Amino acid sequence: MSKRHFRSTFAALVTSTALVAFPAFAQDTPAAEEAAVNPDIVVTAQKRSESLQNVPISITALGTKKLDELGVSNFNTYSQQLPSVSAQSGGTPGTNVIYMRGVASGGDGNHSGSLPSVGVYLDEQPVTTIGGNLDVHVYDIARIESLSGPQGTLYGASSEAGTIRIITNKPSTKGIDWRFDAEGNTVEHGGQGGKLEGMFNLPLGNAAALRVVGFYQRDAGFIDNVPGTRTFCGTTTYDGNGDVNGCIRDGISVNNAAFVGEDTNYTDTYGGRAALLVELDDNWTVTPAVMYQETKSHGSYAYDPSVGDLQYQHFFEDSRDDKFIQAALTIEGKVGNWDVTYAAAYLDRKTASSNDYTDYSESYDSYYESLGGLAYYFAYVDSGGNTIDPRQKVLGTDHFKKFSQELRFASPSDNPVRFVGGAFYQYQSNDIHQDYQITNLGPTVSVNGLPGTLWLTEQHRIDRDYAMFGEVSFDLAPTVTATIGGRAFYYNNDLIGFFGFGRDPAGDWTASPPNAAYSPGTGVASCFTTNGERLYTKDSNGDWIRTGSSTLVAPVVAGTPCTNLGTYSNGTVVPTVAKDHGFTYRANLTWKPSRDLLFYATASRGFRPGGINRRGDFGAYQPDYLQNYELGFKTTWADGKVRLNGAIYQQEWKDFQFSYLGPNSFTVIINGPDARIKGFDLDLSGNFGPLSINLAGAYTDAKIQQNLCHEFDPTFTCILIPAIGSTPAVTDIDAPVGTRLPITPQWKMSGTIRYTVPVGSAKGFVQLNGMYKGSAPSDLRLANNALQGDLRSFSTLNFSLGADWDKFNLEFFVSNLTDERGDLSRFVQCGLCTRTYIVPTQPRTFGVRIGAKY
C-alpha cells in the first residue's frame, strides 16, 4: 500500500465513522454486548469523583481496557491517542518535553531551563520534572486523564497549558486478584523486543489490602551507527603578508570503528509498584505507595539523513540511565460531611548520560578554517603542547528531588453551593553536572582541577512553590451552575554554582593561553574573589582586565573550582534568586438543559514561574502567563451509545519563555513576544453491539503577535543592521509577526474501530487504530527551521486481532503497518552545527501478546 493510498484510506475511515458518531477515548466498556451502552466514565479532574459528561473541562480519558486494547506502555504510545498533546524529544526515552494546545516555543528541556508548561501527576502527586517528563511505565493503570487548557487553579504552576494525570488501580479488599501479561515483538530494520508484566492484589483481612505490580520491557533497536571518518585542520596556511588564511586538512583523521553497530538504540525498562490500603474505619483510609523504575538506553534514537535512513555516525558512546523512586502517602476521610484529603510524596530521580559531541568539533573546525581551524585558533593541546584530537563527548548527571504536600477539603457534592480548596507546598532541587571532555587535554588549558574537561557546568538549583487555592460552585438555577476559583501563589527559585572554561593560574592568572578556547572572561575568570569582585571584568573599552584579588572564594558547590553563578555576600557567595507572587483564576458558567446535554463557557489563567539562566551572565527570565477563553459542549445520544464532546478556544500567551542555543552553544532563556493560539477539540465514541468506534481530533493555529528579534529587544521592533560595503541593510528579525509556533501540528487526529464477535467460548476481535499528525515547524526561528526542516506530516496505522476468554487472552498485532518514517523531533547538536538529526517513529513491528488473569 502506498503512503498516499494509506492516507486516503485513513481519511476515508475518519470520514465514514464520523457519520456514525464523534469520541471520548474514555470508555472501559466491553465492546461486544448486545445494545451496549456507554457507562458513566468517572474522572477526578476537579478533585472530586464525577461523571466525565458532567465536568466542564476538555478531557480525554483512556481507561484500563482502552489502554490494554491499544497496547499502551509509555508516553509515546498513549500520547498518540491524545490530539491536544505534542512533544519534543531529546532523542532518548525520558527526555520528552510535553506541550498542549500549541503552547510551545521550542528548545525546552534543559535541566536548568524553564519549568514545564504541562503538569504530570501520578495519582494525587505531581511528578513534573525539568529536562524531560517522568515516563512512567503504563500497566495496571485505572485511567490516564488529559486535561486541556490552563489548570492553574487546582493544579498550579506547571499546569499552565494543561495537565496529564496517571491514575493507578488501587488495592481492593474484595478478594484475591492477579494478572500476568507477556509480549514478544520484532522490529523491521531492527531487533527483537518484548515485555513481561504482572499484578497481584491480596486482601489482608477485612480492612486492608496490598497491590503489587512488576514489569520488564525491552524496546528493540532499529538505528545503526555506521562507519565514518572525520578529518580536522592540520597545517596552517598563510598569505603573502604572513597572515593566516586557512588550513590544509592533513591533520588528525579519526574513525568510529570502536562504536559501529547495528540496532544500537535499544532500551531496557524495569521496576515495580506497591500500594497498601488500610481502612481505619468507615470514613478514613490510609494508602502508602512506592514505585521504582529504571530505564537504560543505549545508542541514539535519532538518525542523520545525510548518512542514510535510520543511520548515523557517532564517535563516542551514547547512553542514558534514568532511574527514580517515588514514595507517596494519601490519607482520605471525612470531617462531618466534608471530604478531607492529604497527599504527600517524595520523588528521587537520578539520570546519567554520555553523548557524542563530535559534531561540535566538526562544525567549529570548519567555521574557523580561514583562521587555521581548531588546531590553530584554539589551544586544544596536551600537557606537552602538542595538538590533539579535538573531538568531544559530554558526560552528564542530574539528581532531581521533589517533595510535595497538599491538604484539601471538599464540601458535599449534592449541596447547591459546593467548595473544594486547600493549601499546597512543593520543594524541588536539582544537582546539575555537565562535563564536556576532550581526551588528553592538558591540565593548564582544562577546567582547574579537572584535566581533560574543556567546559564544566556544576550547579545546584532549588524551586519552591507555595499556594492557597479554592473553587466555589453555585447552582443559579436547576440547570445553570457558576464556578469561580482562584489560586494565590508564591515561588522562590534559586541557582548557584559554576559554568565555563578554566583559567591557568600561572603568572598571577595572566598566563596565555588562559584555557583551551582562549576565552578571557567565561568560567574561572568570572569567579568571585575574596574582595567581592570577579577575577576579570570588562573595562569601558570592552577589554578584559584583572579587578579581583588573587584569591578565589572557596567553591560553594562540590566539584567546582570556584563560584561564578551567584551573588557575593559577606565573604561568601549565595544563590541568585528569582521570586514572585501572583494570582490565577478560573471562571465557568455551565448550562445542562437535560441529562444528555451540557454546555459551558470558561475563562481561565495559567502561569509558569521565572528563573535564573545557567549562564549567569544572562541573568533571570520572568514568568509567563496564558489566558484562555473557551466554549465547550458534552452530549450523549442514542440511549447512551454515542458521545460527542468538543470545545473551541482562544489563548493569549504573554511574554512566553523562549529557549535557544546562545554563546558557546549553551541554552539561554529569555522572555519573547506574545502569541495567540486558536483551535478546537472534538471527541466522539460509539458502541453499537459488536462494533465500537472512537475518534478524536484537534486543530491548532498558534502564531506570534510581535517580531522575535535576533538580539533581545523588549520592544520587539528589532534593530536595523546597517549596510556594510556591498552588503545591504537588514532588519534583525529571527521570526516576524505571524510566524507559527513550533512543534505542534495544525491538525492531529486519531481513531479506533474494533469489532468483536463470539468464537466458541471466546470473544474474537479485530481492531484498526490510526493516527494522523500534520506538519509543524521544528524551530520558531526561520533560519534555524530552514536548516533543520519542518517536522513532516505522517500517518500510522496499527492492526490487531485476537480473542479474549474469561481468564486468558491472545493477540497478534502489527504497529506502523505501512512503515511510515514519521518525524517525532528534529534537532542539531550545537549553534553552528549543520547536521540535522531526526527522531523517527518506530518502524513496522510485528508481535504477539498473551495474558492470564484470575
Side-chain angles (χ1 to χ4, degrees):
M1 179 186 291
S2 70
K3 294 181 179 178
R4 177 179 297 178
H5 179 62
F6 163 66
R7 290 183 179 131
S8 300
T9 303
F10 182 71
L13 167 66
V14 171
T15 304
S16 61
T17 50
L19 297 176
V20 189
F22 246 103
F25 275 104
Q27 62 190 55
D28 296 334
T29 331
E33 291 182 5
E34 276 191 40
V37 175
N38 281 328
D40 278 342
I41 303 156
V42 176
V43 296
T44 52
Q46 296 191 123
K47 307 286 188 175
R48 297 176 181 271
S49 295
E50 302 170 283
S51 167
L52 174 72
Q53 296 303 94
N54 291 333
V55 180
I57 297 175
S58 180
I59 305 175
T60 301
L62 302 169
T64 301
K65 191 170 190 299
K66 182 58 64 179
L67 293 169
D68 289 343
E69 290 175 352
L70 296 172
V72 169
S73 63
N74 54 26
F75 172 78
N76 282 339
T77 47
Y78 71 72
S79 64
Q80 293 182 16
Q81 314 303 322
L82 306 176
S84 294
V85 174
S86 55
Q88 185 175 19
S89 173
T92 53
T95 61
N96 288 303
V97 179
I98 307 172
Y99 304 113
M100 295 183 78
R101 283 186 170 177
V103 181
S105 60
D108 299 324
N110 187 275
H111 45 200
S112 52
S114 298
L115 286 162
S117 62
V118 174
V120 179
Y121 276 67
L122 179 59
D123 291 321
E124 291 284 348
Q125 295 80 18
V127 292
T128 314
T129 58
I130 306 162
N133 72 303
L134 200 69
D135 199 349
V136 176
H137 184 81
V138 177
Y139 183 72
D140 193 41
I141 298 298
R143 63 187 178 277
I144 295 175
E145 298 178 5
S146 175
L147 286 55
S148 299
Q151 306 297 323
T153 302
L154 295 180
Y155 293 97
S158 285
S159 291
E160 178 183 36
T163 301
I164 292 175
R165 306 181 69 229
I166 302 170
I167 313 298
T168 63
N169 285 314
K170 303 302 186 292
S172 172
T173 60
K174 294 181 180 179
I176 294 176
D177 188 15
W178 63 263
R179 176 183 172 188
F180 175 79
D181 294 273
E183 175 185 315
N185 60 62
T186 183
V187 180
E188 195 160 321
H189 319 289
Q192 289 71 49
K195 56 186 176 182
L196 297 172
E197 302 164 310
M199 176 278 296
F200 184 72
N201 182 88
L202 177 67
L204 303 174
N206 297 324
L210 176 68
R211 195 178 192 97
V212 179
V213 173
F215 53 85
Y216 167 78
Q217 179 169 332
R218 160 65 67 94
D219 294 312
F222 51 86
I223 300 180
D224 304 334
N225 190 12
V226 299
T229 59
R230 300 287 185 269
T231 302
F232 299 95
C233 280
T235 303
T236 304
T237 60
Y238 301 85
D239 60 18
N241 297 320
D243 297 324
V244 175
N245 66 358
C247 74
I248 299 174
R249 293 192 174 274
D250 61 350
I252 298 169
S253 183
V254 296
N255 65 66
N256 64 347
F259 304 100
V260 167
E262 295 183 347
D263 311 329
T264 59
N265 63 319
Y266 64 94
T267 295
D268 293 301
T269 302
Y270 51 89
R273 189 175 71 243
L276 175 68
L277 171 70
V278 179
E279 297 175 351
L280 302 179
D281 57 26
D282 291 341
N283 293 323
W284 288 88
T285 63
V286 177
T287 309
V290 63
M291 180 174 184
Y292 174 82
Q293 180 175 311
E294 183 163 5
T295 302
K296 293 186 175 182
S297 302
H298 308 266
S300 173
Y301 272 73
Y303 71 95
D304 179 354
S306 68
V307 175
D309 181 39
L310 301 179
Q311 295 180 339
Y312 65 94
Q313 293 174 343
H314 280 187
F315 293 76
F316 288 108
E317 177 189 14
D318 292 282
S319 64
R320 189 171 191 270
D321 186 7
D322 183 352
K323 56 185 175 184
F324 72 86
I325 185 168
Q326 189 218 32
L329 174 67
T330 304
I331 302 174
E332 298 173 288
K334 287 184 177 292
V335 175
N337 59 355
W338 282 55
D339 294 325
V340 180
T341 303
Y342 171 77
Y346 175 76
L347 172 68
D348 190 306
R349 182 186 190 185
K350 296 178 181 178
T351 66
S353 62
S354 176
N355 295 105
D356 178 78
Y357 205 43
T358 299
D359 284 9
Y360 178 94
S361 303
E362 176 188 35
S363 298
Y364 275 81
D365 192 57
S366 296
Y367 182 75
Y368 291 114
E369 183 168 349
S370 63
L371 301 173
L374 290 176
Y376 180 87
Y377 194 72
F378 281 30
Y380 285 8
V381 294
D382 61 19
S383 57
N386 304 301
T387 300
I388 59 174
D389 175 359
R391 289 176 300 152
Q392 292 185 40
K393 64 179 178 181
V394 185
L395 301 180
T397 62
D398 282 279
H399 189 181
F400 185 91
K401 301 176 184 178
K402 180 196 288 278
F403 174 66
S404 64
Q405 294 185 94
E406 180 172 296
L407 179 62
R408 188 172 71 247
F409 301 90
S411 64
S413 59
D414 55 356
N415 285 356
V417 178
R418 298 171 296 281
F419 170 82
V420 58
F424 175 80
Y425 167 71
Q426 180 174 265
Y427 177 96
Q428 306 177 88
S429 69
N430 191 9
D431 291 315
I432 303 159
H433 170 79
Q434 290 277 288
D435 186 348
Y436 292 74
Q437 294 189 349
I438 298 178
T439 303
N440 296 324
L441 187 66
T444 61
V445 291
S446 299
V447 173
N448 303 53
L450 298 170
T453 295
L454 173 68
W455 173 291
L456 176 71
T457 299
E458 194 81 45
Q459 298 171 354
H460 182 66
R461 172 175 179 163
I462 297 177
D463 296 84
R464 306 172 186 86
D465 299 279
Y466 310 81
M468 299 286 290
F469 63 92
E471 285 193 351
V472 181
S473 297
F474 308 84
D475 290 338
L476 304 178
T479 60
V480 180
T481 300
T483 299
I484 299 174
R487 188 181 189 99
F489 65 84
Y490 169 76
Y491 69 84
N492 186 326
N493 303 335
D494 63 56
L495 190 63
I496 190 169
F498 175 86
F499 69 98
F501 302 106
R503 189 172 186 97
D504 188 350
D508 195 26
W509 301 101
T510 61
S512 181
N515 47 56
Y518 279 96
S519 176
T522 303
V524 171
S526 62
C527 280
F528 289 99
T529 64
T530 51
N531 67 353
E533 298 185 17
R534 296 184 186 270
L535 184 63
Y536 274 78
T537 57
K538 285 185 178 180
D539 63 14
S540 58
N541 297 319
D543 296 322
W544 290 97
I545 60 171
R546 274 287 311 278
T547 55
S549 74
S550 297
T551 306
L552 301 175
V553 175
V556 177
V557 177
T560 61
C562 50
T563 304
N564 59 5
L565 175 55
T567 303
Y568 184 84
S569 176
N570 298 322
T572 187
V573 184
V574 297
T576 302
V577 177
K579 59 183 178 180
D580 200 357
H581 65 276
F583 186 79
T584 60
Y585 70 89
R586 183 172 83 102
N588 176 274
L589 189 64
T590 302
W591 177 42
K592 193 171 176 61
S594 71
R595 177 185 175 185
D596 296 330
L597 298 174
L598 180 147
F599 303 92
Y600 68 88
T602 296
S604 56
R605 189 188 196 210
F607 86 103
R608 178 167 50 168
I612 308 297
N613 274 289
R614 67 165 172 165
R615 283 191 61 105
D617 44 352
F618 276 80
Y621 51 93
Q622 303 306 309
D624 57 17
Y625 292 87
L626 184 71
Q627 184 69 45
N628 175 62
Y629 304 97
E630 183 172 338
L631 297 173
F633 62 88
K634 297 195 172 184
T635 64
T636 306
W637 307 86
D639 296 325
K641 297 177 183 178
V642 178
R643 288 195 181 99
L644 173 61
N645 300 339
I648 185 171
Y649 63 86
Q650 178 170 306
Q651 300 181 135
E652 306 291 338
W653 194 12
K654 299 295 184 181
D655 303 323
F656 64 76
Q657 293 170 14
F658 176 65
S659 302
Y660 66 97
L661 290 177
N664 308 112
S665 292
F666 287 90
T667 300
V668 174
I669 303 102
I670 62 171
N671 287 90
D674 297 342
R676 176 170 294 162
I677 305 167
K678 302 176 182 178
F680 62 82
D681 312 318
L682 283 174
D683 287 312
L684 172 102
S685 65
N687 264 334
F688 308 96
L691 178 68
S692 66
I693 300 169
N694 298 277
L695 294 175
Y699 171 78
T700 307
D701 180 20
K703 296 176 181 177
I704 61 174
Q705 299 297 294
Q706 292 109 10
N707 297 324
L708 176 67
C709 306
H710 182 68
E711 297 294 338
F712 177 63
D713 175 3
T715 68
F716 304 111
T717 55
C718 301
I719 62 174
L720 184 70
I721 301 175
I724 302 176
S726 60
T727 303
V730 295
T731 303
D732 193 19
I733 298 177
D734 272 348
V737 173
T739 299
R740 282 180 60 189
L741 291 175
I743 312 303
T744 303
Q746 285 189 318
W747 288 99
K748 183 181 177 184
M749 297 176 287
S750 61
T752 304
I753 297 177
R754 186 179 179 93
Y755 187 80
T756 307
V757 61
V759 179
S761 61
K763 293 178 180 178
F765 67 86
V766 59
Q767 176 177 281
L768 202 61
N769 169 258
M771 185 270 289
Y772 169 78
K773 187 175 182 180
S775 64
S778 61
D779 196 287
L780 177 58
R781 299 161 296 174
L782 299 187
N784 294 70
N785 191 69
L787 171 64
Q788 295 178 179
D790 283 344
L791 299 171
R792 298 166 296 184
S793 62
F794 69 94
S795 304
T796 59
L797 190 64
N798 308 313
F799 173 79
S800 61
L801 78 161
D804 293 326
W805 289 264
D806 287 342
K807 300 186 184 303
F808 180 75
N809 61 275
L810 175 66
E811 176 184 357
F812 299 93
F813 68 91
V814 184
S815 60
N816 195 1
L817 186 62
T818 57
D819 199 26
E820 285 270 338
R821 199 73 72 243
D823 293 358
L824 299 180
S825 187
R826 285 176 173 241
F827 62 89
V828 293
Q829 289 194 333
C830 69
L832 289 179
C833 292
T834 57
R835 288 181 179 271
T836 295
Y837 291 88
I838 302 174
V839 181
T841 53
Q842 183 168 299
R844 180 165 42 226
T845 302
F846 299 87
V848 58
R849 300 185 183 107
I850 59 172
K853 58 186 176 181
Y854 172 78

